Short mmCIF file of all heavy atoms in Angstrom, two decimals:
data_model
loop_
_atom_site.label_atom_id
_atom_site.label_comp_id
_atom_site.label_asym_id
_atom_site.label_seq_id
_atom_site.Cartn_x
_atom_site.Cartn_y
_atom_site.Cartn_z
N MET A 235 0.85 -1.18 0.00
CA MET A 235 0.00 0.00 0.00
C MET A 235 0.89 1.24 0.00
O MET A 235 1.81 1.34 0.79
CB MET A 235 -0.91 -0.03 1.23
CG MET A 235 -1.75 1.20 1.35
SD MET A 235 -2.62 1.24 2.91
CE MET A 235 -4.24 0.90 2.35
N THR A 236 0.60 2.16 -0.88
CA THR A 236 1.37 3.40 -0.94
C THR A 236 0.50 4.56 -0.47
O THR A 236 -0.71 4.56 -0.64
CB THR A 236 1.85 3.68 -2.38
OG1 THR A 236 0.72 3.81 -3.22
CG2 THR A 236 2.78 2.60 -2.86
N SER A 237 1.15 5.52 0.11
CA SER A 237 0.43 6.69 0.59
C SER A 237 0.84 7.89 -0.24
O SER A 237 2.00 8.03 -0.61
CB SER A 237 0.72 6.89 2.07
OG SER A 237 1.31 8.09 2.35
N THR A 238 -0.11 8.73 -0.56
CA THR A 238 0.20 9.93 -1.33
C THR A 238 -0.10 11.14 -0.47
O THR A 238 -1.22 11.32 0.01
CB THR A 238 -0.63 9.99 -2.63
OG1 THR A 238 -2.01 9.92 -2.29
CG2 THR A 238 -0.27 8.85 -3.56
N ALA A 239 0.90 11.95 -0.25
CA ALA A 239 0.73 13.17 0.54
C ALA A 239 0.20 14.27 -0.37
O ALA A 239 0.62 14.40 -1.51
CB ALA A 239 2.05 13.58 1.15
N GLN A 240 -0.73 15.02 0.15
CA GLN A 240 -1.27 16.13 -0.60
C GLN A 240 -0.41 17.36 -0.41
O GLN A 240 0.13 17.60 0.67
CB GLN A 240 -2.70 16.42 -0.17
CG GLN A 240 -3.67 15.34 -0.55
CD GLN A 240 -5.10 15.72 -0.19
OE1 GLN A 240 -5.32 16.60 0.64
NE2 GLN A 240 -6.04 15.07 -0.81
N ALA A 241 -0.29 18.15 -1.46
CA ALA A 241 0.45 19.41 -1.37
C ALA A 241 -0.32 20.39 -0.51
O ALA A 241 -1.55 20.34 -0.45
CB ALA A 241 0.65 19.99 -2.77
N PRO A 242 0.38 21.28 0.20
CA PRO A 242 -0.31 22.29 1.00
C PRO A 242 -1.22 23.15 0.13
O PRO A 242 -0.90 23.45 -1.01
CB PRO A 242 0.83 23.13 1.58
CG PRO A 242 2.02 22.26 1.51
CD PRO A 242 1.82 21.37 0.31
N ARG A 243 -2.35 23.52 0.69
CA ARG A 243 -3.29 24.40 -0.01
C ARG A 243 -2.77 25.82 0.02
O ARG A 243 -2.07 26.23 0.94
CB ARG A 243 -4.65 24.32 0.67
CG ARG A 243 -5.23 22.92 0.60
CD ARG A 243 -6.41 22.75 1.49
NE ARG A 243 -7.54 23.56 1.02
CZ ARG A 243 -8.71 23.58 1.64
NH1 ARG A 243 -8.92 22.88 2.73
NH2 ARG A 243 -9.68 24.33 1.17
N THR A 244 -3.13 26.58 -0.99
CA THR A 244 -2.67 27.97 -1.08
C THR A 244 -3.81 28.97 -0.97
O THR A 244 -3.58 30.17 -1.04
CB THR A 244 -1.91 28.21 -2.40
OG1 THR A 244 -2.78 27.89 -3.48
CG2 THR A 244 -0.65 27.38 -2.47
N GLN A 245 -5.04 28.48 -0.78
CA GLN A 245 -6.17 29.39 -0.59
C GLN A 245 -7.30 28.71 0.16
O GLN A 245 -7.37 27.48 0.22
CB GLN A 245 -6.66 29.92 -1.92
CG GLN A 245 -7.04 28.86 -2.93
CD GLN A 245 -7.41 29.49 -4.26
OE1 GLN A 245 -8.05 30.53 -4.30
NE2 GLN A 245 -7.02 28.85 -5.34
N TYR A 246 -8.13 29.52 0.79
CA TYR A 246 -9.32 29.06 1.50
C TYR A 246 -10.34 30.19 1.37
O TYR A 246 -9.98 31.35 1.58
CB TYR A 246 -9.01 28.78 2.97
CG TYR A 246 -10.12 28.05 3.69
CD1 TYR A 246 -10.19 26.67 3.67
CD2 TYR A 246 -11.10 28.76 4.36
CE1 TYR A 246 -11.21 26.00 4.32
CE2 TYR A 246 -12.13 28.10 5.02
CZ TYR A 246 -12.18 26.72 5.00
OH TYR A 246 -13.19 26.04 5.64
N PRO A 247 -11.57 29.90 1.03
CA PRO A 247 -12.55 30.97 0.82
C PRO A 247 -12.65 31.94 2.02
O PRO A 247 -12.85 31.51 3.15
CB PRO A 247 -13.87 30.21 0.63
CG PRO A 247 -13.47 28.85 0.18
CD PRO A 247 -12.15 28.57 0.85
N GLY A 248 -12.46 33.21 1.76
CA GLY A 248 -12.61 34.23 2.79
C GLY A 248 -11.44 34.36 3.75
O GLY A 248 -11.52 35.11 4.71
N LEU A 249 -10.34 33.66 3.52
CA LEU A 249 -9.20 33.69 4.44
C LEU A 249 -7.97 34.19 3.70
O LEU A 249 -7.59 33.64 2.67
CB LEU A 249 -8.94 32.29 5.00
CG LEU A 249 -7.77 32.12 5.95
CD1 LEU A 249 -7.94 32.98 7.20
CD2 LEU A 249 -7.65 30.66 6.35
N ASP A 250 -7.35 35.27 4.20
CA ASP A 250 -6.12 35.79 3.62
C ASP A 250 -4.96 35.10 4.32
O ASP A 250 -4.59 35.47 5.44
CB ASP A 250 -6.06 37.31 3.80
CG ASP A 250 -4.84 37.94 3.16
OD1 ASP A 250 -3.96 37.20 2.65
OD2 ASP A 250 -4.76 39.18 3.18
N LEU A 251 -4.38 34.09 3.68
CA LEU A 251 -3.32 33.31 4.30
C LEU A 251 -2.09 34.13 4.64
O LEU A 251 -1.34 33.78 5.55
CB LEU A 251 -2.92 32.14 3.38
CG LEU A 251 -4.00 31.09 3.18
CD1 LEU A 251 -3.55 30.08 2.14
CD2 LEU A 251 -4.33 30.40 4.49
N GLU A 252 -1.87 35.22 3.95
CA GLU A 252 -0.70 36.05 4.22
C GLU A 252 -0.90 36.95 5.43
O GLU A 252 0.03 37.60 5.89
CB GLU A 252 -0.33 36.85 2.98
CG GLU A 252 0.12 35.92 1.85
CD GLU A 252 0.59 36.63 0.61
OE1 GLU A 252 0.54 37.87 0.57
OE2 GLU A 252 1.00 35.92 -0.32
N ARG A 253 -2.11 36.98 5.98
CA ARG A 253 -2.40 37.80 7.17
C ARG A 253 -2.75 36.96 8.40
O ARG A 253 -3.24 37.48 9.39
CB ARG A 253 -3.54 38.77 6.87
CG ARG A 253 -3.15 39.81 5.86
CD ARG A 253 -4.29 40.79 5.65
NE ARG A 253 -3.83 41.95 4.93
CZ ARG A 253 -3.46 43.09 5.48
NH1 ARG A 253 -3.52 43.26 6.77
NH2 ARG A 253 -3.06 44.09 4.74
N VAL A 254 -2.49 35.67 8.35
CA VAL A 254 -2.75 34.80 9.51
C VAL A 254 -1.84 35.23 10.65
O VAL A 254 -0.64 35.44 10.46
CB VAL A 254 -2.51 33.32 9.14
CG1 VAL A 254 -2.48 32.43 10.35
CG2 VAL A 254 -3.59 32.86 8.17
N SER A 255 -2.42 35.38 11.85
CA SER A 255 -1.64 35.82 13.02
C SER A 255 -0.89 34.64 13.64
O SER A 255 -1.17 33.48 13.35
CB SER A 255 -2.56 36.45 14.06
OG SER A 255 -3.31 35.45 14.71
N PHE A 256 0.04 34.95 14.53
CA PHE A 256 0.79 33.92 15.24
C PHE A 256 -0.15 33.00 16.02
O PHE A 256 -0.02 31.78 15.97
CB PHE A 256 1.80 34.59 16.20
CG PHE A 256 2.64 33.61 16.95
CD1 PHE A 256 3.73 33.00 16.35
CD2 PHE A 256 2.34 33.29 18.27
CE1 PHE A 256 4.52 32.09 17.06
CE2 PHE A 256 3.12 32.38 18.97
CZ PHE A 256 4.21 31.79 18.37
N ASP A 257 -1.13 33.58 16.73
CA ASP A 257 -2.09 32.79 17.51
C ASP A 257 -2.92 31.86 16.62
O ASP A 257 -3.23 30.75 17.00
CB ASP A 257 -3.04 33.70 18.31
CG ASP A 257 -2.36 34.36 19.49
OD1 ASP A 257 -1.17 34.05 19.77
OD2 ASP A 257 -3.00 35.19 20.15
N GLU A 258 -3.25 32.32 15.42
CA GLU A 258 -4.02 31.49 14.49
C GLU A 258 -3.15 30.38 13.91
O GLU A 258 -3.58 29.24 13.80
CB GLU A 258 -4.59 32.37 13.37
CG GLU A 258 -5.62 33.36 13.88
CD GLU A 258 -5.86 34.51 12.93
OE1 GLU A 258 -5.25 34.59 11.85
OE2 GLU A 258 -6.69 35.36 13.31
N ALA A 259 -1.89 30.69 13.59
CA ALA A 259 -0.98 29.69 13.04
C ALA A 259 -0.66 28.61 14.07
O ALA A 259 -0.47 27.44 13.72
CB ALA A 259 0.31 30.35 12.55
N LYS A 260 -0.64 28.97 15.35
CA LYS A 260 -0.35 28.01 16.41
C LYS A 260 -1.57 27.22 16.86
O LYS A 260 -1.47 26.32 17.68
CB LYS A 260 0.27 28.72 17.63
CG LYS A 260 1.67 29.21 17.37
CD LYS A 260 2.59 28.03 17.14
CE LYS A 260 4.02 28.43 17.01
NZ LYS A 260 4.89 27.30 16.75
N GLY A 261 -2.75 27.57 16.36
CA GLY A 261 -3.96 26.84 16.73
C GLY A 261 -4.62 27.33 18.01
O GLY A 261 -5.42 26.62 18.60
N TRP A 262 -4.29 28.55 18.42
CA TRP A 262 -4.89 29.10 19.64
C TRP A 262 -6.16 29.88 19.35
O TRP A 262 -7.03 29.99 20.18
CB TRP A 262 -3.89 29.99 20.38
CG TRP A 262 -2.66 29.27 20.81
CD1 TRP A 262 -2.55 27.94 21.15
CD2 TRP A 262 -1.34 29.80 20.93
NE1 TRP A 262 -1.25 27.64 21.47
CE2 TRP A 262 -0.49 28.76 21.35
CE3 TRP A 262 -0.81 31.06 20.72
CZ2 TRP A 262 0.87 28.94 21.58
CZ3 TRP A 262 0.54 31.24 20.94
CH2 TRP A 262 1.37 30.19 21.37
N ARG A 263 -6.24 30.48 18.15
CA ARG A 263 -7.41 31.25 17.74
C ARG A 263 -7.86 30.78 16.36
O ARG A 263 -7.07 30.35 15.55
CB ARG A 263 -7.11 32.75 17.68
CG ARG A 263 -6.96 33.37 19.03
CD ARG A 263 -7.06 34.90 18.96
NE ARG A 263 -7.06 35.47 20.28
CZ ARG A 263 -8.14 35.68 21.01
NH1 ARG A 263 -9.32 35.39 20.54
NH2 ARG A 263 -8.05 36.19 22.22
N CYS A 264 -9.15 30.92 16.13
CA CYS A 264 -9.73 30.54 14.84
C CYS A 264 -9.33 31.57 13.78
O CYS A 264 -9.56 32.77 13.98
CB CYS A 264 -11.25 30.46 14.95
SG CYS A 264 -12.07 30.09 13.40
N PRO A 265 -8.76 31.16 12.66
CA PRO A 265 -8.41 32.12 11.62
C PRO A 265 -9.63 32.66 10.86
O PRO A 265 -9.52 33.62 10.11
CB PRO A 265 -7.49 31.34 10.68
CG PRO A 265 -7.87 29.92 10.89
CD PRO A 265 -8.32 29.81 12.31
N LEU A 266 -10.78 32.05 11.07
CA LEU A 266 -12.00 32.51 10.39
C LEU A 266 -12.76 33.54 11.20
O LEU A 266 -13.19 34.56 10.67
CB LEU A 266 -12.91 31.32 10.09
CG LEU A 266 -12.29 30.22 9.21
CD1 LEU A 266 -13.23 29.04 9.08
CD2 LEU A 266 -11.90 30.78 7.86
N CYS A 267 -12.94 33.29 12.53
CA CYS A 267 -13.74 34.22 13.34
C CYS A 267 -12.94 34.85 14.49
O CYS A 267 -13.47 35.66 15.22
CB CYS A 267 -14.97 33.50 13.89
SG CYS A 267 -14.63 32.31 15.21
N LYS A 268 -11.69 34.45 14.66
CA LYS A 268 -10.76 35.00 15.68
C LYS A 268 -11.07 34.56 17.11
O LYS A 268 -10.43 35.01 18.04
CB LYS A 268 -10.69 36.53 15.63
CG LYS A 268 -10.53 37.13 14.24
CD LYS A 268 -9.31 36.63 13.55
CE LYS A 268 -9.17 37.33 12.19
NZ LYS A 268 -8.51 36.53 11.19
N ALA A 269 -12.04 33.67 17.32
CA ALA A 269 -12.38 33.20 18.67
C ALA A 269 -11.28 32.29 19.21
O ALA A 269 -10.56 31.63 18.45
CB ALA A 269 -13.70 32.43 18.63
N LEU A 270 -11.15 32.25 20.56
CA LEU A 270 -10.25 31.29 21.19
C LEU A 270 -10.77 29.88 20.89
O LEU A 270 -11.97 29.64 20.96
CB LEU A 270 -10.20 31.50 22.70
CG LEU A 270 -9.42 32.71 23.19
CD1 LEU A 270 -9.60 32.90 24.68
CD2 LEU A 270 -7.95 32.57 22.85
N LEU A 271 -9.85 28.98 20.57
CA LEU A 271 -10.27 27.62 20.22
C LEU A 271 -10.32 26.73 21.45
O LEU A 271 -9.34 26.62 22.18
CB LEU A 271 -9.32 27.04 19.17
CG LEU A 271 -9.37 27.72 17.82
CD1 LEU A 271 -8.31 27.11 16.88
CD2 LEU A 271 -10.74 27.58 17.19
N THR A 272 -11.45 26.09 21.66
CA THR A 272 -11.59 25.12 22.74
C THR A 272 -11.85 23.72 22.18
O THR A 272 -11.43 22.74 22.75
CB THR A 272 -12.72 25.52 23.70
OG1 THR A 272 -13.92 25.68 22.96
CG2 THR A 272 -12.38 26.82 24.42
N SER A 273 -12.55 23.63 21.07
CA SER A 273 -12.71 22.38 20.32
C SER A 273 -12.50 22.74 18.86
O SER A 273 -12.92 23.79 18.40
CB SER A 273 -14.08 21.75 20.57
OG SER A 273 -15.11 22.61 20.17
N VAL A 274 -11.79 21.87 18.14
CA VAL A 274 -11.30 22.28 16.83
C VAL A 274 -11.61 21.29 15.71
O VAL A 274 -11.93 20.14 15.96
CB VAL A 274 -9.77 22.50 16.88
CG1 VAL A 274 -9.40 23.62 17.81
CG2 VAL A 274 -9.05 21.24 17.27
N ARG A 275 -11.48 21.80 14.50
CA ARG A 275 -11.50 20.98 13.29
C ARG A 275 -10.37 21.49 12.40
O ARG A 275 -10.04 22.67 12.41
CB ARG A 275 -12.84 21.11 12.56
CG ARG A 275 -13.11 22.51 12.04
CD ARG A 275 -14.48 22.64 11.38
NE ARG A 275 -14.86 24.03 11.32
CZ ARG A 275 -14.89 24.75 10.21
NH1 ARG A 275 -14.55 24.21 9.06
NH2 ARG A 275 -15.25 26.01 10.25
N SER A 276 -9.76 20.60 11.66
CA SER A 276 -8.67 20.98 10.78
C SER A 276 -9.22 21.60 9.50
O SER A 276 -10.18 21.09 8.92
CB SER A 276 -7.82 19.76 10.44
OG SER A 276 -6.82 20.12 9.50
N LEU A 277 -8.61 22.71 9.07
CA LEU A 277 -8.93 23.29 7.77
C LEU A 277 -8.04 22.71 6.69
O LEU A 277 -8.31 22.84 5.51
CB LEU A 277 -8.74 24.81 7.80
CG LEU A 277 -9.69 25.61 8.69
CD1 LEU A 277 -9.33 27.09 8.65
CD2 LEU A 277 -11.13 25.40 8.27
N GLY A 278 -6.95 22.09 7.10
CA GLY A 278 -5.97 21.52 6.17
C GLY A 278 -4.61 22.15 6.37
O GLY A 278 -4.41 22.97 7.25
N ILE A 279 -3.69 21.76 5.53
CA ILE A 279 -2.34 22.29 5.58
C ILE A 279 -2.22 23.35 4.49
O ILE A 279 -2.62 23.13 3.35
CB ILE A 279 -1.30 21.17 5.39
CG1 ILE A 279 -1.42 20.19 6.57
CG2 ILE A 279 0.11 21.74 5.29
CD1 ILE A 279 -0.55 18.97 6.45
N PHE A 280 -1.66 24.50 4.87
CA PHE A 280 -1.59 25.64 3.97
C PHE A 280 -0.17 26.18 3.88
O PHE A 280 0.62 26.01 4.80
CB PHE A 280 -2.51 26.77 4.46
CG PHE A 280 -3.96 26.43 4.42
CD1 PHE A 280 -4.56 25.79 5.48
CD2 PHE A 280 -4.72 26.72 3.29
CE1 PHE A 280 -5.91 25.46 5.44
CE2 PHE A 280 -6.06 26.39 3.25
CZ PHE A 280 -6.66 25.76 4.32
N THR A 281 0.09 26.88 2.81
CA THR A 281 1.34 27.62 2.64
C THR A 281 1.04 28.89 1.86
O THR A 281 0.08 28.94 1.10
CB THR A 281 2.42 26.76 1.93
OG1 THR A 281 3.66 27.44 1.98
CG2 THR A 281 2.06 26.47 0.49
N ALA A 282 1.82 29.94 2.10
CA ALA A 282 1.63 31.22 1.42
C ALA A 282 2.99 31.75 1.00
O ALA A 282 4.03 31.31 1.50
CB ALA A 282 0.93 32.21 2.35
N GLU A 283 2.98 32.70 0.09
CA GLU A 283 4.22 33.31 -0.40
C GLU A 283 4.91 34.15 0.68
O GLU A 283 6.13 34.16 0.77
CB GLU A 283 3.93 34.19 -1.62
CG GLU A 283 3.51 33.42 -2.85
CD GLU A 283 4.63 32.58 -3.43
OE1 GLU A 283 5.78 33.05 -3.46
OE2 GLU A 283 4.35 31.45 -3.84
N THR A 284 4.12 34.87 1.50
CA THR A 284 4.68 35.71 2.55
C THR A 284 3.89 35.50 3.83
O THR A 284 2.84 34.86 3.83
CB THR A 284 4.64 37.21 2.18
OG1 THR A 284 3.27 37.60 2.01
CG2 THR A 284 5.41 37.50 0.90
N GLY A 285 4.37 36.05 4.93
CA GLY A 285 3.68 35.93 6.22
C GLY A 285 4.17 34.72 7.01
O GLY A 285 5.23 34.17 6.73
N LEU A 286 3.38 34.30 7.98
CA LEU A 286 3.77 33.21 8.87
C LEU A 286 3.65 31.83 8.22
O LEU A 286 4.20 30.87 8.74
CB LEU A 286 2.90 33.22 10.13
CG LEU A 286 3.12 34.38 11.08
CD1 LEU A 286 2.12 34.32 12.23
CD2 LEU A 286 4.52 34.36 11.63
N LEU A 287 2.96 31.72 7.11
CA LEU A 287 2.71 30.40 6.52
C LEU A 287 3.60 30.10 5.32
O LEU A 287 3.20 29.41 4.40
CB LEU A 287 1.23 30.28 6.11
CG LEU A 287 0.21 30.49 7.22
CD1 LEU A 287 -1.19 30.29 6.68
CD2 LEU A 287 0.47 29.55 8.37
N THR A 288 4.84 30.56 5.35
CA THR A 288 5.74 30.25 4.24
C THR A 288 6.20 28.80 4.29
O THR A 288 6.64 28.27 3.28
CB THR A 288 6.96 31.20 4.23
OG1 THR A 288 7.61 31.13 5.48
CG2 THR A 288 6.54 32.63 3.92
N GLU A 289 6.08 28.16 5.42
CA GLU A 289 6.31 26.72 5.56
C GLU A 289 4.94 26.06 5.69
O GLU A 289 4.02 26.65 6.28
CB GLU A 289 7.14 26.42 6.82
CG GLU A 289 8.55 26.95 6.76
CD GLU A 289 9.41 26.25 5.72
OE1 GLU A 289 9.24 25.03 5.53
OE2 GLU A 289 10.22 26.94 5.08
N PRO A 290 4.75 24.85 5.17
CA PRO A 290 3.45 24.18 5.31
C PRO A 290 3.02 24.12 6.78
O PRO A 290 3.77 23.69 7.65
CB PRO A 290 3.71 22.78 4.75
CG PRO A 290 4.83 22.98 3.78
CD PRO A 290 5.70 24.04 4.42
N THR A 291 1.81 24.61 7.05
CA THR A 291 1.28 24.72 8.41
C THR A 291 -0.16 24.25 8.43
O THR A 291 -0.96 24.67 7.60
CB THR A 291 1.35 26.18 8.90
OG1 THR A 291 2.69 26.65 8.79
CG2 THR A 291 0.88 26.32 10.34
N GLU A 292 -0.52 23.40 9.40
CA GLU A 292 -1.91 22.99 9.54
C GLU A 292 -2.66 24.07 10.31
O GLU A 292 -2.22 24.52 11.36
CB GLU A 292 -2.02 21.66 10.28
CG GLU A 292 -3.43 21.13 10.30
CD GLU A 292 -3.53 19.67 10.73
OE1 GLU A 292 -2.55 19.15 11.31
OE2 GLU A 292 -4.57 19.07 10.49
N LEU A 293 -3.80 24.51 9.75
CA LEU A 293 -4.63 25.51 10.42
C LEU A 293 -5.85 24.83 11.03
O LEU A 293 -6.42 23.91 10.43
CB LEU A 293 -5.09 26.58 9.43
CG LEU A 293 -4.03 27.52 8.90
CD1 LEU A 293 -4.65 28.53 7.95
CD2 LEU A 293 -3.31 28.24 10.03
N TRP A 294 -6.23 25.31 12.20
CA TRP A 294 -7.37 24.77 12.95
C TRP A 294 -8.41 25.86 13.09
O TRP A 294 -8.08 27.03 13.23
CB TRP A 294 -6.91 24.29 14.32
CG TRP A 294 -5.92 23.19 14.21
CD1 TRP A 294 -4.56 23.31 14.12
CD2 TRP A 294 -6.18 21.79 14.13
NE1 TRP A 294 -3.97 22.08 13.99
CE2 TRP A 294 -4.95 21.14 14.00
CE3 TRP A 294 -7.35 21.05 14.15
CZ2 TRP A 294 -4.85 19.75 13.90
CZ3 TRP A 294 -7.25 19.66 14.05
CH2 TRP A 294 -6.02 19.03 13.93
N ALA A 295 -9.68 25.47 13.09
CA ALA A 295 -10.80 26.42 13.23
C ALA A 295 -11.77 25.86 14.25
O ALA A 295 -11.62 24.73 14.73
CB ALA A 295 -11.50 26.63 11.89
N CYS A 296 -12.79 26.65 14.59
CA CYS A 296 -13.83 26.22 15.52
C CYS A 296 -14.40 24.87 15.07
O CYS A 296 -14.62 24.65 13.87
CB CYS A 296 -14.95 27.25 15.58
SG CYS A 296 -14.41 28.87 16.17
N ALA A 297 -14.66 23.98 16.02
CA ALA A 297 -15.19 22.66 15.69
C ALA A 297 -16.53 22.76 14.98
O ALA A 297 -16.78 22.07 14.00
CB ALA A 297 -15.31 21.80 16.94
N ARG A 298 -17.40 23.62 15.48
CA ARG A 298 -18.66 23.89 14.78
C ARG A 298 -18.38 25.01 13.80
O ARG A 298 -17.80 26.03 14.17
CB ARG A 298 -19.72 24.30 15.78
CG ARG A 298 -20.04 23.17 16.76
CD ARG A 298 -21.12 23.55 17.69
NE ARG A 298 -22.34 23.77 16.91
CZ ARG A 298 -23.49 24.16 17.44
NH1 ARG A 298 -23.58 24.41 18.72
NH2 ARG A 298 -24.54 24.32 16.70
N PRO A 299 -18.75 24.82 12.56
CA PRO A 299 -18.46 25.87 11.57
C PRO A 299 -18.92 27.25 12.05
O PRO A 299 -20.05 27.46 12.41
CB PRO A 299 -19.25 25.42 10.34
CG PRO A 299 -19.32 23.93 10.48
CD PRO A 299 -19.45 23.70 11.96
N CYS A 300 -17.97 28.18 12.07
CA CYS A 300 -18.26 29.53 12.56
C CYS A 300 -18.71 30.45 11.45
O CYS A 300 -19.23 31.51 11.72
CB CYS A 300 -17.05 30.10 13.29
SG CYS A 300 -15.52 30.04 12.34
N ARG A 301 -18.46 30.04 10.21
CA ARG A 301 -18.98 30.80 9.07
C ARG A 301 -18.97 29.96 7.84
O ARG A 301 -18.43 28.93 7.75
CB ARG A 301 -18.24 32.09 8.84
CG ARG A 301 -16.77 31.94 8.53
CD ARG A 301 -16.19 33.27 8.19
NE ARG A 301 -15.04 33.04 7.35
CZ ARG A 301 -14.25 33.96 6.93
NH1 ARG A 301 -14.46 35.20 7.27
NH2 ARG A 301 -13.24 33.71 6.17
#
């Protein structure tokens, strides 16, 4: 069995990946609504040309869709 890794995503509807804050990149705040995260869901792994996400980074958001 072989596994295929997916390339990091470069966009997400309504989210400016180049403006993700440190708290959002670390999974402490939701990058969609800015709330403190207590239960989470993965948005996926992302990368951007500039900002904090120049290395592939998994972003987390509110467990219940916030928007």
Side-chain angles (χ1 to χ4, degrees):
M235 176 188 253
T236 61
S237 119
T238 57
Q240 292 184 341
R243 298 168 67 180
T244 58
Q245 55 185 321
Y246 191 87
L249 179 60
D250 183 355
L251 294 174
E252 295 184 358
R253 293 183 167 263
V254 168
S255 74
F256 181 79
D257 287 355
E258 294 161 0
K260 289 296 186 181
W262 299 329
R263 288 196 174 271
C264 177
L266 302 175
C267 73
K268 313 302 183 210
L270 286 173
L271 293 176
T272 55
S273 60
V274 297
R275 64 183 161 107
S276 176
L277 293 178
I279 297 174
F280 294 87
T281 189
E283 292 291 321
T284 62
L286 291 176
L287 302 182
T288 55
E289 294 292 324
T291 304
E292 187 166 17
L293 291 181
W294 298 89
C296 298
R298 297 183 63 182
C300 53
R301 61 175 206 184

